[in-house]
Amino acid sequence: MPGQLEETKTKRATFGMGCFWAGDCLFGITPGVIKTCVGYAGGNQPSPTYKNMGDHTEVIDIEYDPEVISYNELLSLFWNNHEYGVATKIKTQYASLILYHDDEQKTIAEKSYEQEQSERGEILTTIIKKFEKFYPAENYHQKYRLQSHSYLLESFGLTTPELICTSPIAAKLNGYVSGAATLELFNRDTFIHNLDEKQYQYLKQCVIDMEGTGLYC
Ligand code: MHO
């Protein structure tokens, strides 16, 4: 109806791609990604924890707006930011894993796997399977890199683990303090218009200092 705000329908994507701190940073600053949460999935062991995750894998659980970013674009970030060739020995904790949430994601993921495999000319270790259950990781793993910036946490009112896990701003800040973005990308993000001068200068300095350091754990 004209004049009426349309409700945004968000979708969910879940990927295992090595240490989940890194994937959290990468997707956190990706336009169209709304929220991120890290946790354990893909296995059968009940109640996994970091110390005892059993047959689960570290995953990033993403809420995204499909009108801004497609599943294919998320997959391209997935393929370009971790190890999954058969030549690398990877333990289950860091497995390359795509957990699809519906048939559409399944089809897109399988197609992109085949394309990736033929481009690389080698067998991939990546496993594609149906999403079953996600176990959020302990609080200290959520927005891990942001948690050492107490100024940002306080200044943005990110005062509870719940807020750190669910706030779209926390997802962005976590990526920007970690070197996941270039200064150019940062300057193009409309979210910087909502920052006060001090927040802006602080964050910009982080981006400058960390640019090029890559996503590490
Ligand atoms: N290098 C890190 C990996 C943590 S991760 C969340 C550590 O040894 O603690 O897998």
Side-chain angles (χ1 to χ4, degrees):
M1 230 190 280
Q4 198 165 329
L5 275 182
E6 259 189 45
E7 205 185 307
T8 319
K9 292 238 179 341
T10 62
K11 292 196 75 170
R12 191 172 174 188
T14 311
F15 302 121
M17 47 193 295
C19 169
F20 54 22
W21 296 340
D24 202 7
C25 296
L26 171 73
F27 288 109
I29 54 149
T30 298
V33 169
I34 298 160
K35 290 176 195 174
T36 61
C37 186
V38 296
Y40 316 108
N44 295 308
Q45 179 180 291
S47 317
T49 61
Y50 185 64
K51 290 258 155 63
N52 187 11
M53 69 180 80
D55 56 352
H56 289 281
T57 293
E58 292 191 15
V59 300
I60 307 101
D61 197 39
I62 300 159
E63 186 181 327
Y64 67 100
D65 179 349
E67 295 196 353
V68 180
I69 191 162
S70 66
Y71 192 57
N72 239 327
E73 288 170 312
L74 291 174
L75 281 169
S76 139
L77 287 169
F78 169 81
W79 295 120
N80 288 319
N81 288 282
H82 75 296
E83 279 304 322
Y84 48 85
V86 76
T88 330
K89 181 98 189 79
I90 306 167
K91 51 181 178 172
T92 306
Q93 177 182 0
Y94 296 132
S96 176
L97 179 66
I98 299 172
L99 297 172
Y100 58 82
H101 289 262
D102 54 33
D103 287 346
E104 193 192 355
Q105 284 190 350
K106 178 177 193 273
T107 310
I108 297 170
E110 284 170 352
K111 212 180 262 175
S112 105
Y113 176 99
E114 272 162 35
Q115 195 180 329
E116 197 60 29
Q117 181 154 7
S118 72
E119 272 169 25
R120 298 212 5 162
E122 66 170 337
I123 305 286
L124 313 181
T125 57
T126 307
I127 294 164
I128 301 178
K129 59 183 184 180
K130 189 174 183 314
F131 173 91
E132 299 284 352
K133 192 167 166 50
F134 171 76
Y135 300 87
E138 296 79 351
N139 293 337
Y140 78 95
H141 284 298
Q142 306 295 340
K143 313 294 177 313
Y144 182 79
R145 306 294 297 284
L146 172 61
Q147 294 214 37
S148 52
H149 292 263
S150 50
Y151 161 69
L152 291 174
L153 293 174
E154 271 167 42
S155 168
F156 286 90
L158 300 166
T159 46
T160 63
E162 166 76 10
L163 278 170
I164 289 177
C165 204
T166 59
S167 152
I169 287 180
K172 278 191 184 282
L173 296 174
N174 185 51
Y176 284 128
V177 298
S178 72
T182 58
L183 185 59
E184 202 216 325
L185 206 90
F186 173 70
N187 281 327
R188 265 194 281 131
D189 192 332
T190 52
F191 123 103
I192 64 174
H193 303 141
N194 304 322
L195 308 181
D196 68 29
E197 187 57 20
K198 191 169 172 209
Q199 291 168 335
Y200 172 73
Q201 292 301 340
Y202 183 100
L203 206 55
K204 184 174 144 198
Q205 199 54 50
C206 291
V207 174
I208 291 170
D209 293 346
M210 300 305 289
E211 185 168 349
T213 56
L215 292 163
Y216 60 86
C217 268

